[in-house]
Amino acid sequence: MKNNESGMEIRDPSRRKILGGAAALAGTGLTLSLTGCGAASDGKGAAATSTAAKAAGGSAGHFEVPPGKLDDYYILSSGGHSGEVRILGCPSGRTIKRIPVFNIDPMVGWGITNESKAIMGTRPDGQLKYWTGDTHHVHGSYTDGTYDGKRFWVNDKLHGRVARIRGDTFEVDRITELPNVQGHHGIFTDKRDPVDSSINHTTRVFAGAEFHIPLPNDGRDMDKPEAYGCLFSCLDAETMDVRWQCRVDGNMDLVATSYDGKYAASNQYNVEGGIHYEDMMSAEHDACVFFDVARIEAAIKAGKFITIGDSKVPVVDGRRAANADPATALTCYVPVPKNPHGVNASPDGKYFVCSGKLSPTCSVIDLSLVEKWFAGEIKNARDAVVAEPNLGLGPLHTGFDGRGNAYTTLFLDSKIVKWNVDAAIKQFKGDKNAKVVLDSIDVHYQPGHGFTSMGETKNADGKFFNSGNKFSKDRFLPVGPLHVETEQLIDISGDKMVLVHDHTAYPEPHDAIIVAADAIKTRQIYSLDEFPNAVSAQTAGIERNGNKVHVRLTSQAPAYSLREFSVKKGDIVTITLTNLDKVEDLTHGFGIPKYNINFIVNPQETKSVTFVADKPGVYWCYCTHFCHALHLEMRTRMVVEG
Ligand code: CUK
Ligand code: CUA
Ligand code: CA
């Protein structure tokens, strides 16, 4: 047995060989993004790891979900550059649903139907404005400090958007593009109203911008990086309008919110405003910036804001120079060691933990001391840091068990470390006997996000920790150069962490939340009157208006209401389809060969598509979703006359 730099046990030196190179370089802070790739491409290393993988166990058979039994939790996971969100069961790890969000998905017709295009946003010519996205963080609506299951939100880092997902159908109902923002990364809902303390549910969604850009980004200041800026945005949870933005010094990475509703926080890794990564690492300290939401909204009421470019959204000044006086400050910058990653709020409401990334530490920020800084009672914001335990190499994200313990992913060490927050505070005060690190477990490999069951609520139950690993190497059958990712579920209910199982993750999820199944109430079918364009037996048929043709169809297994319909070459055809079937899961599809039309209608749902009938001929529109013994016979014939 040996020790690494952080003083922790190394259980398997053979395994460390492949990661050792990475760990050794980590001290320079330069190699974080490179190390995983280096290790992953080391074929010998991969072989050497398999013993350790076995040693790490996977014994917890009692968490198996037997056939026919349901999971205890939903996992809502981002899908990274796939642009989607996934729903998994926990503890099984089974994938239950993929929700198209910023991507096109012919399975449901997302990005194909008129209704989904209206949500995604179109250009004047009717084409989608964007059909790519990069989702990182999913968070839910809260009531009384815990998930109410009503709604979920996810960010799009690529185009600076926020999408809202309905909790009853797990479908996207709104997408908002943030003005003057690039690299929108962190997102979090408020847990109660920051201004009206009688409102105990989510009213706002906060969004941080990671990349500096000219403000506005219209061609000005391109060679003047010092003029670039980053905006922190606040959306209205109900209307999805952007309520306000706050300009900060430095950039923003992850976002967390306080349980009292008053504060949102974002960790910053580029207080330097650097353009190249070495510039972004030049300062000894970066920061975790706290936003006093009530003060920001009061400043806007008092007219102390600007607008930027074409945007009408009020923008307040949250930069250091404008906020030097704590009594009026909108923002508080708490210095933390250089280039931190995730920030997470502890379920007792007391602490925000910034994971060190380039520093082997986590910084524990006491919210009550941040509050004291805003009240002018303490001078130095750094004094709000009450612990900085040394945990290992590459700490990225931290989850909590509700029993005072934290679980931090160590990217470079490929470990999860369990540590006690109170003990870390005692140690920081000088108690040399404080037992901070309680346990650690190898994960496979290079974990990014890690999250606990109900861990971002006051009902954190300390049952499971999910490690979202960035490299799977030898854990699954190889499928060519790119490997699927591994998520590892860990039982954290006892003193020792126990690996439950690996499940695969199609690249590449970042964050997720684990939500108790009983917090979510889904519906069985839609209701016809939710759709103003619903087709009934009376309105079904074909209607022509110049070269615009509207085909109104209903479906009822195993037939569409029209057996055939004719249009003329050049017609602009809209097909509206209402599924009259009322049985849960009795979904029909509608595909048109050669016309790129493919979508489904769930029971009692209505969708429409519009296209130009530019190819004469006979086209069998058919049901793509298996629905009935006569599913293959479920067709209608579209004749496009030349
Ligand atoms: S980030 Cu990816 S592992 Cu976008 Cu939450 Cu940390
Ligand atoms: Cu209707 Cu298959
Ligand atoms: Ca930095």
Side-chain angles (χ1 to χ4, degrees):
M1 232 178 255
K2 286 201 288 185
N3 285 316
N4 67 5
E5 293 97 299
S6 59
M8 286 176 2
E9 261 180 29
I10 296 170
R11 291 197 204 126
D12 181 353
S14 68
R15 199 178 142 265
R16 288 295 116 179
K17 263 205 303 213
I18 56 160
L19 298 169
L25 291 166
T28 68
L30 278 167
T31 51
L32 188 66
S33 62
L34 308 172
T35 50
C37 308
S41 62
D42 181 346
K44 271 186 256 148
T49 60
S50 50
T51 326
K54 275 179 210 130
S59 53
H62 60 287
F63 289 115
E64 206 173 302
V65 181
K69 289 279 184 287
L70 303 182
D71 281 292
D72 297 328
Y73 301 88
Y74 290 89
I75 297 181
L76 282 96
S77 172
S78 63
H81 46 286
S82 68
E84 63 184 24
V85 163
R86 292 103 186 229
I87 303 187
L88 289 78
C90 173
S92 75
R94 300 181 292 205
T95 301
I96 301 171
K97 182 163 184 168
R98 293 167 57 178
I99 308 170
V101 183
F102 302 111
N103 55 320
I104 291 174
D105 183 359
M107 196 287 274
V108 292
W110 192 254
I112 296 166
T113 63
N114 295 326
E115 293 74 17
S116 61
K117 282 163 115 180
I119 293 169
M120 294 172 81
T122 52
R123 300 173 196 267
D125 66 359
Q127 298 300 309
L128 286 173
K129 188 173 180 192
Y130 310 109
W131 53 90
T132 53
D134 185 18
T135 60
H136 284 228
H137 303 109
V138 183
H139 290 292
S141 54
Y142 287 74
T143 296
D144 282 330
T146 192
Y147 298 125
D148 59 25
K150 287 185 185 146
R151 285 165 170 162
F152 300 90
W153 286 265
V154 67
N155 75 305
D156 169 24
K157 177 166 169 172
L158 191 55
H159 304 299
R161 292 177 293 173
V162 181
R164 186 172 72 189
I165 297 165
R166 290 168 57 151
D168 61 345
T169 59
F170 286 125
E171 287 170 350
V172 171
D173 71 346
R174 292 295 292 271
I175 292 176
T176 297
E177 186 173 351
L178 306 171
N180 296 305
V181 161
Q182 234 173 66
H184 156 39
H185 191 204
I187 186 176
F188 221 109
T189 44
D190 66 5
K191 301 190 181 91
R192 55 188 304 137
D193 195 289
V195 179
D196 182 346
S197 60
S198 70
I199 299 176
N200 69 345
H201 61 262
T202 292
T203 52
R204 295 161 178 79
V205 183
F206 300 105
E210 190 180 333
F211 302 157
H212 290 83
I213 49 167
L215 298 171
N217 191 21
D218 58 1
R220 76 185 68 190
D221 295 339
M222 292 197 284
D223 293 321
K224 244 174 75 188
E226 62 284 2
Y228 296 3
C230 280
L231 303 179
F232 182 76
S233 305
C234 171
L235 292 91
D236 188 297
E238 202 56 46
T239 64
M240 287 292 282
D241 294 335
V242 183
R243 285 189 176 200
W244 49 260
Q245 294 178 302
C246 177
R247 181 165 180 183
V248 300
D249 281 324
N251 73 336
M252 286 158 290
D253 190 17
L254 281 292
V255 172
T257 58
S258 66
Y259 281 83
D260 63 10
K262 292 181 184 161
Y263 302 97
S266 184
N267 68 295
Q268 307 190 297
Y269 65 79
N270 189 13
V271 296
E272 301 90 340
I275 298 298
H276 306 114
Y277 71 83
E278 59 272 29
D279 308 328
M280 300 180 199
M281 298 180 358
S282 58
E284 258 331 292
H285 281 95
D286 281 280
C288 183
V289 56
F290 285 79
F291 299 86
D292 185 321
V293 180
R295 280 191 190 175
I296 289 172
E297 298 191 355
I300 290 162
K301 262 200 184 139
K304 290 183 201 150
F305 63 83
I306 59 162
T307 57
I308 297 174
D310 298 337
S311 166
K312 303 248 180 323
V313 175
V315 180
V316 295
D317 192 348
R319 288 176 289 180
R320 288 166 195 266
N323 294 277
D325 178 7
T328 55
L330 310 179
T331 50
C332 169
Y333 293 77
V334 179
V336 293
K338 69 163 67 177
N339 292 44
H341 193 45
V343 56
N344 297 90
S346 65
D348 58 12
K350 291 187 192 162
Y351 306 109
F352 283 66
V353 174
C354 276
S355 306
K357 192 168 75 181
L358 297 192
S359 163
T361 57
C362 274
S363 301
V364 180
I365 299 167
D366 184 332
L367 184 65
S368 71
L369 296 176
V370 173
E371 210 152 13
K372 281 196 171 150
W373 183 90
F374 276 114
E377 289 167 31
I378 59 170
K379 287 255 142 36
N380 189 346
R382 172 70 192 166
D383 291 342
V385 175
V386 293
E388 216 147 64
N390 198 317
L391 299 173
L393 296 176
L396 289 188
H397 292 281
T398 299
F400 301 92
D401 64 6
R403 299 187 293 268
N405 303 312
Y407 300 77
T408 299
T409 56
L410 300 179
F411 179 83
L412 296 173
D413 276 339
S414 280
K415 279 176 183 292
I416 308 304
V417 55
K418 172 183 179 180
W419 53 285
N420 184 271
V421 179
D422 282 341
I425 294 170
K426 284 193 187 122
Q427 185 189 56
F428 197 69
K429 284 188 182 137
D431 181 350
K432 291 203 172 60
N433 297 321
K435 189 150 171 42
V436 178
V437 172
L438 302 178
D439 190 23
S440 78
I441 187 171
D442 289 342
V443 291
H444 311 87
Y445 303 89
Q446 264 102 13
H449 268 281
F451 37 92
T452 53
S453 44
M454 295 297 282
E456 309 229 52
T457 75
K458 67 170 196 208
N459 294 340
D461 62 19
K463 289 195 178 142
F464 293 108
F465 178 92
N466 189 92
S467 175
N469 305 326
K470 296 299 182 190
F471 296 89
S472 65
K473 300 182 193 176
D474 55 355
R475 299 297 277 189
F476 304 110
L477 287 173
V479 286
L482 176 66
H483 293 222
V484 74
E485 292 183 32
T486 33
E487 304 257 317
Q488 291 186 296
L489 192 71
I490 295 166
D491 171 13
I492 56 167
S493 59
D495 288 342
K496 285 269 167 205
M497 291 180 276
V498 179
L499 179 63
V500 176
H501 64 61
D502 292 15
H503 60 265
T504 57
Y506 184 67
E508 66 150 356
H510 288 251
D511 196 11
I513 53 175
I514 306 180
V515 180
D518 59 13
I520 288 174
K521 302 264 176 297
T522 56
R523 50 199 294 192
Q524 276 80 46
I525 60 170
Y526 293 82
S527 156
L528 288 179
D529 39 72
E530 282 171 90
F531 304 93
N533 58 341
V535 181
S536 65
Q538 289 72 40
T539 59
I542 181 161
E543 183 189 351
R544 174 175 288 277
N545 219 322
N547 68 340
K548 289 203 168 106
V549 178
H550 199 156
V551 181
R552 294 186 178 86
L553 284 175
T554 62
S555 61
Q556 212 159 8
Y560 300 111
S561 52
L562 287 175
R563 287 161 189 264
E564 60 178 64
F565 59 92
S566 292
V567 298
K568 294 198 177 69
K569 186 185 171 195
D571 281 346
I572 301 167
V573 181
T574 295
I575 293 175
T576 303
L577 174 59
T578 296
N579 182 3
L580 296 180
D581 277 311
K582 284 185 186 156
V583 181
E584 182 178 4
D585 207 21
L586 215 176
T587 291
H588 299 288
F590 196 84
I592 311 180
K594 316 299 181 190
Y595 275 92
N596 259 330
I597 299 292
N598 199 0
F599 66 100
I600 57 168
V601 273
N602 294 309
Q604 305 278 290
E605 188 182 31
T606 299
K607 285 180 184 166
S608 67
V609 289
T610 299
F611 58 94
V612 178
D614 54 3
K615 295 174 281 285
V618 169
Y619 300 92
W620 286 102
C621 309
Y622 70 98
C623 178
T624 52
H625 201 91
F626 214 105
C627 56
H628 190 274
L630 291 172
H631 158 74
L632 290 166
E633 288 81 352
M634 186 167 175
R635 310 183 205 168
T636 181
R637 194 163 57 109
M638 177 172 80
V639 177
V640 180
E641 295 163 0

